[in-house]
């Protein structure tokens, strides 16, 4: 088994709001990975005294523990329970009904000797390398479709007809893209937050297959380093317009 992961803040003056981790059961018969991308709110009150990095650490830790220990629960139920736990941990001090309450995108995958399950919510990505069919990107494309329609995203967060993130409502797990593969169909997995997937989706340095090949050959830190190089080459966002010059980035590569 091979596991490599890396993460880096977009700005070292602020906490990294991404979360990436993996768990392997003591039996050695499987594992689980979780990648979250915390959503940075606009300046102003978000109703929470803790902040996004606190939220992603709590949510990610709960989701990883449940995914690894409760194999009787589907990943959607694991996400629902993790959201409920996290909400309960700060519901007495924070306004969880605030539209900017801390929230995150989510990717989870879980494998054993027979199958690999996955869950993708919002704009992080899971890449699956199939033995006979190459690299398949598993995406929740709601944001891309809304942008293509020229829609403003802010009013559409966590609303029907819009897009969804993991915040305080456990029911959002039902909006995730989910599925499974036979274990013997899959060679390797990778998960990226959009700060790392910029290499493909923003800068066009390669496609998903080339991205996967880079992860396999050089590892997640090399991908993040290449994203940073592309960002530094366009510091003002002239060639590649973007909301942040540098974004938090996280990536994990797993050969289970």
């Amino acid at each position: 088994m091979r596991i490599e992961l890396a993460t880096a803040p977009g700005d070292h003056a602020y906490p990294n709001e991404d979360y990436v981790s993996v768990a392997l059961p003591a039996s050695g018969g499987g594992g689980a990975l979780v990648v979250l991308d915390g959503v940075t709110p606009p300046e102003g009150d978000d109703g929470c005294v803790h902040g996004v990095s606190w939220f992603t650490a709590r949510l990610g830790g709960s989701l990883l523990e449940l995914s690894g220990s409760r194999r009787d629960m589907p990943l959607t139920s694991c996400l629902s329970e993790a959201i409920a736990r996290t909400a309960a941990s700060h519901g007495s001090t924070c306004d969880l009904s605030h539209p900017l309450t801390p929230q995150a995108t989510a990717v989870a995958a879980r494998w054993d000797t027979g199958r690999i399950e996955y869950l993708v919510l919002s704009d992080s990505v899971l890449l699956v390398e199939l033995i006979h069919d190459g690299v398949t990107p598993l995406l929740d494309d709601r944001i891309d479709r809304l942008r293509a329609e020229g829609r403003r995203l802010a009013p559409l967060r966590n609303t029907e007809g819009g897009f969804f993130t993991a915040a305080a409502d456990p029911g959002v797990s039902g909006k995730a893209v989910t599925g499974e593969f036979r274990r013997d169909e899959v060679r390797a997995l990778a998960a990226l937050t959009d700060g790392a997937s910029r290499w493909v989706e923003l800068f066009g340095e390669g496609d998903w297959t080339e991205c996967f090949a880079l992860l396999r050959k050089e590892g997640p830190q090399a991908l993040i380093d290449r994203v940073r190089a592309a960002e530094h080459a366009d510091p003002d966002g002239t060639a590649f317009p973007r909301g942040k010059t540098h974004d938090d980035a996280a990536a994990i590569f797993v050969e289970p």
Side-chain angles (χ1 to χ4, degrees):
M1 179 177 289
R2 174 186 170 192
I3 298 170
E4 294 186 37
L5 64 162
T7 185
D11 185 335
H12 287 279
Y14 297 94
N16 188 344
E17 295 172 346
D18 284 2
Y19 173 96
V20 56
S21 193
V22 63
L24 302 176
S27 65
L33 68 83
V34 170
V35 173
L36 306 181
D37 183 354
V39 178
T40 305
E43 291 292 331
D45 179 30
D46 63 3
C48 181
V49 300
H50 299 99
V52 175
S53 58
W54 175 92
F55 173 81
T56 53
R58 288 294 185 105
L59 181 64
S62 290
L63 180 54
L64 184 70
E65 183 267 315
L66 289 162
S67 299
S69 66
R70 292 296 307 273
R71 291 183 172 268
D72 57 312
M73 294 171 60
L75 287 178
T76 49
S77 297
C78 292
L79 179 58
S80 291
E81 177 61 22
I83 291 172
R85 285 185 185 181
T86 305
S89 69
H90 69 141
S92 63
T93 58
C94 306
D95 177 11
L96 304 188
S97 66
H98 196 292
L100 299 179
T101 190
Q103 52 203 270
T105 73
V107 172
R110 179 169 61 186
W111 60 94
D112 57 25
T113 57
R115 63 177 181 155
I116 295 177
E117 306 163 73
Y118 66 84
L119 176 152
V120 179
L121 183 68
S122 199
D123 60 352
S124 293
V125 59
L126 178 68
L127 303 177
V128 179
E129 185 184 38
L130 300 171
I131 291 173
H132 299 296
D133 296 313
V135 175
T136 296
L138 299 171
L139 302 158
D140 175 355
D141 66 354
R142 292 180 179 94
I143 289 177
D144 289 340
R145 287 190 280 112
L146 291 168
R147 283 179 175 149
E149 294 169 4
R151 307 279 297 279
R152 286 187 61 244
L153 296 180
L156 301 175
R157 185 185 305 277
N158 290 324
T159 62
E160 290 300 327
F163 68 100
F164 299 88
T165 55
D169 176 14
V172 77
S173 64
K175 305 297 184 181
V177 176
T178 61
E180 64 178 63
F181 296 93
R182 291 201 325 267
R183 173 67 184 82
D184 60 7
E185 293 180 310
V186 177
R187 180 176 287 118
L189 307 167
L192 316 173
T193 62
D194 66 350
S197 66
R198 281 182 168 193
W199 191 79
V200 174
E201 296 180 303
L202 177 64
F203 297 115
E205 296 287 334
D207 60 20
W208 292 121
T209 298
E210 291 165 320
C211 180
F212 205 93
L214 171 60
L215 289 165
R216 166 172 276 116
K217 182 178 180 181
E218 301 184 40
Q221 187 60 54
L223 174 64
I224 294 173
D225 290 344
R226 292 194 184 198
V227 169
R228 293 289 181 255
E231 291 168 340
H232 285 299
D234 181 39
D236 300 321
T238 303
F240 300 98
R242 53 198 188 272
K244 299 177 183 177
T245 301
H246 310 287
D247 195 7
D248 297 342
I252 183 169
F253 176 85
V254 176
E255 288 180 332

